[in-house]
Amino acid sequence: MSQDLWRDHADEIAREIRNHRYERSDSGLLLTRMGAFIGGAMKVRDYRRGHQQTVAIAANTLLNEGLNHLLNVGFPPTGGYAQITQWYLAPYKGNYTPDPTLTAAQFPAVAEEFTAYTATQRPALVIPRLATARSTGNTGNEAVFVLAAGGPYNLYGCVVVSSSAKGSVSGVGMAAVPFDHPRLNMAGGDKLGIEYVLTAADAG
């Protein structure tokens, strides 16, 4: 399968998902007949009191509305389809297990969005270059959350959404990622650095 998996096989991917010929895993979708995988992962860096304590990789759950967006961009319906050009990261404080039916509209209440950080809006997922090896993301441009004064704060995960405003119930949700372990008892001034990578690749 070529590196341009999504461009060259958008119609086939759409047909396989539409006909439910896939297996869902914690990190994405396995299109068994195509031998292809679509999924993502998040690297989480924990900076407490100015010192990096842990670096961990957490697998995502791709959300149905995000998958539909990818399909509509790669294989647009007659009349065209508006592509989302910027994504954002939003942490959550609820002990929530991601479900693929979660939507951007439900996220703030269902997962209990965490908003006690110094930035005035959700940090952008800054993607520095075009995908050339079947993956894309903000590697080398991690989004950094500086926690606001107060606490202790408990963080359980993060979502990728298309709306920038804290607490927004608009837009599209792409992925939800439970951290490999909860970040407990964080305090004002602590930081959390997040990188997210989405991959479409041959599963062989």
Side-chain angles (χ1 to χ4, degrees):
M1 191 167 292
S2 77
Q3 290 192 346
D4 297 314
L5 173 74
W6 199 261
R7 184 196 66 194
D8 295 342
H9 298 275
D11 53 346
E12 189 176 359
I13 291 170
R15 184 170 57 252
E16 293 300 288
I17 293 177
R18 184 172 59 248
N19 293 327
H20 304 287
R21 291 194 291 259
Y22 61 84
E23 296 178 10
R24 183 179 286 277
S25 70
D26 289 340
S27 56
L29 294 181
L30 176 64
L31 306 176
T32 50
R33 284 159 49 105
M34 292 180 64
F37 175 79
I38 303 168
M42 187 169 282
K43 179 185 288 186
V44 183
R45 299 179 188 271
D46 182 350
Y47 303 89
R48 301 198 189 214
R49 282 53 164 192
H51 300 284
Q52 182 178 317
Q53 291 193 339
T54 60
V55 179
I57 305 296
N60 77 178
T61 292
L62 287 175
L63 305 180
N64 292 342
E65 68 176 4
L67 287 171
N68 287 334
H69 176 76
L70 290 177
L71 291 171
N72 286 326
V73 168
F75 194 57
T78 301
Y81 180 80
Q83 179 182 357
I84 293 169
T85 58
Q86 184 62 68
W87 296 91
Y88 300 88
L89 296 163
Y92 58 85
K93 61 184 179 180
N95 190 2
Y96 168 72
T97 300
D99 184 283
T101 62
L102 181 72
T103 64
Q106 297 166 341
F107 159 66
V110 171
E112 300 180 55
E113 181 176 0
F114 175 77
T115 59
Y117 49 92
T118 58
T120 57
Q121 66 178 28
R122 297 165 174 168
L125 183 69
V126 179
I127 299 173
R129 62 189 65 86
L130 290 172
T132 58
R134 298 169 293 177
S135 68
T136 189
N138 68 328
T139 301
N141 290 275
E142 70 176 7
V144 178
F145 297 83
V146 181
L147 275 57
Y153 301 119
N154 298 329
L155 303 179
Y156 285 85
C158 187
V159 299
V160 181
V161 290
S162 67
S163 50
S164 63
K166 293 180 179 180
S168 174
V169 295
S170 64
V172 171
M174 177 57 65
V177 185
F179 294 154
D180 61 305
H181 62 274
R183 275 20 185 216
L184 304 178
N185 299 312
M186 298 190 76
D190 287 349
K191 299 177 183 179
L192 203 65
I194 292 180
E195 295 180 11
Y196 179 71
V197 174
L198 183 67
T199 300
D202 189 331

